Amino acid sequence: MLNMIQRALRVLPSDLFWVNPDCGLKTRTKEESIAALRQMVEAAQTARDALAVSN
């Protein structure tokens, strides 16, 4: 997920980019959804931290 976020930010300004959690979660179990959302939040935070350092 972090790799996909970083790739998107190479072509989009960060203020126009949103991580969208609606990525097939409806077809997953509750446990799978929670794990995926945790990973997504962690990747988004890592990307935000990297942007803060580079600005």
Side-chain angles (χ1 to χ4, degrees):
M1 254 182 244
L2 180 58
N3 184 39
M4 290 171 40
I5 292 170
Q6 291 168 333
R7 287 178 56 205
L9 289 172
R10 287 186 206 137
V11 295
L12 292 170
S14 61
D15 60 330
L16 296 179
F17 181 76
W18 291 82
V19 177
N20 185 353
D22 189 19
C23 55
L25 295 178
K26 295 173 194 160
T27 62
R28 297 180 184 198
T29 66
K30 180 179 177 180
E31 293 78 18
E32 290 173 321
S33 295
I34 290 169
L37 288 170
R38 282 190 175 129
Q39 184 180 20
M40 187 179 300
V41 168
E42 184 178 319
Q45 187 59 54
T46 301
R48 281 188 205 108
D49 292 345
L51 284 171
V53 170
S54 67
N55 288 332

